[in-house]
Amino acid sequence: MSPDLPVLLDLARSVTERAEQQLRDLTPDLITAKGDRDMVTNVDLAIERQARTALLDGAPGIGFVGEEEGGDTGADTRWIIDPVDGTANFIRGLPLCGISLALVHHGVPVLGVIHLPLIGRRYWAAQGLGAFRDGQRISAAGTSTLPEAMIAVGDYGTGPDGPERNRVALAIQARLAEKAQRVRMLGSAAVDLAFVADGTLDATITLGNHDWDMAAGVVLAREAGAVVMDTDGSPHTPDSRTTIATTPGLRDAVLDILRVTTTGTAWSATSGSRAC
């Protein structure tokens, strides 16, 4: 049975509003390393735990997965949350961070809510219902040429694949710097995708695809009319190697950049496995 998206969207927005208040009120005074230059704070954990309880109580037949403490990854329908997307920004007081909550049904993101409380923006979308920011319907920009485009590139990588990922990211940035109006690195996938949805950005390119980072923003961008795809131009899925969102008019130009810069790397369109 398909989920009742309007009802579940109301629940998701209510839960995210409570999480937003926690992000504003709590201080990240307990910071723990969870990997190579990767951190979790007491605020991440508090938000995720509150959301888990509220969502399982409000929709008991739906699974839950959090970035920090995991969950029911095998559920056909499940909530996926990144309690603080852009944790490094949050710790340093940079306001580009927020809560990203999605509903995934049979592997397809169908509902997304992103709140960016430190800059006062709330986004939500559901499949077939459109995308909204602060109650107003939004759409991707109409930009169609690179010299007019502001494009974000995902954050530098850490961990075992960090060096290769960073070499490719630098090559992408160098190529874009020759052609695009401006290139930005904002440090939050949720921010990048929400900004493509409302036309603040014209495209975003991320060499990665974790559900908690991407799922909510993918729904927002698609419902706003953006193209969301993998390196080869195929529609983005949970198995994609990369996450690329662009205005329709920039699709081919962005794919050309990726073809030139990723050939022969793990992020090539012909590299085989895309799981990330």
Side-chain angles (χ1 to χ4, degrees):
M1 180 180 296
S2 296
D4 187 337
L5 293 182
V7 170
L8 293 174
L9 182 58
D10 285 344
L11 173 62
R13 291 181 59 199
S14 173
V15 169
T16 310
E17 285 173 14
R18 291 199 292 275
E20 174 184 303
Q21 195 62 48
Q22 289 176 291
L23 191 147
R24 281 204 191 99
D25 291 348
L26 297 176
T27 301
D29 51 15
L30 181 58
I31 302 168
T32 306
K34 62 176 185 176
D36 176 26
R37 291 168 287 165
D38 195 8
M39 299 154 289
V40 61
T41 75
N42 55 301
V43 182
D44 297 76
L45 294 171
I47 290 173
E48 185 169 311
R49 290 166 183 170
Q50 176 273 132
R52 183 189 301 268
T53 298
L55 290 167
L56 292 178
D57 286 348
I62 296 175
F64 178 94
V65 179
E67 178 184 4
E68 308 305 342
E69 296 186 318
D72 188 1
T73 58
D76 288 339
T77 305
R78 59 189 181 274
W79 301 103
I80 298 177
I81 192 169
D82 187 339
V84 183
D85 190 71
T87 297
N89 285 355
F90 176 56
I91 291 169
R92 294 300 187 106
L94 294 172
L96 294 178
C97 56
I99 304 106
S100 178
L101 174 64
L103 183 70
V104 174
H105 181 59
H106 292 301
V108 178
V110 295
L111 180 158
V113 179
I114 294 174
H115 282 197
L116 309 177
L118 302 186
I119 62 171
R121 294 189 185 187
R122 293 176 172 178
Y123 297 84
W124 61 90
Q127 191 175 72
L129 301 180
F132 298 83
R133 186 186 108 187
D134 302 324
Q136 300 298 312
R137 192 157 190 148
I138 55 175
S139 59
T143 306
S144 59
T145 67
L146 286 173
E148 300 175 291
M150 181 172 284
I151 300 178
V153 178
D155 214 351
Y156 289 121
T158 58
D161 71 345
E164 182 184 9
R165 174 173 170 168
N166 294 337
R167 282 193 293 271
V168 177
L170 284 167
I172 291 170
Q173 290 172 19
R175 190 74 175 176
L176 287 172
E178 297 173 352
K179 297 178 177 293
Q181 184 183 91
R182 290 292 187 275
V183 184
R184 296 288 183 259
M185 182 180 284
L186 305 181
S188 164
V191 170
D192 288 351
L193 289 162
F195 282 5
V196 170
D198 72 3
T200 302
L201 292 172
D202 300 300
T204 178
I205 300 168
T206 301
L207 301 177
N209 182 30
H210 292 301
D211 278 347
W212 51 80
D213 291 327
M214 305 300 177
V218 165
V219 181
L220 274 166
R222 282 184 172 149
E223 286 296 310
V227 177
V228 189
M229 58 187 176
D230 200 358
T231 316
D232 61 358
S234 61
H236 182 274
T237 75
D239 294 324
S240 294
R241 182 67 172 172
T242 61
T243 306
I244 302 138
T246 81
T247 67
L250 287 174
R251 177 188 181 276
D252 292 344
V254 169
L255 286 175
D256 285 345
I257 295 283
L258 290 166
R259 186 187 68 251
V260 170
T261 54
T262 65
T263 298
T265 75
W267 287 270
S268 169
T270 58
S271 63
S273 173
R274 295 178 188 162
C276 183

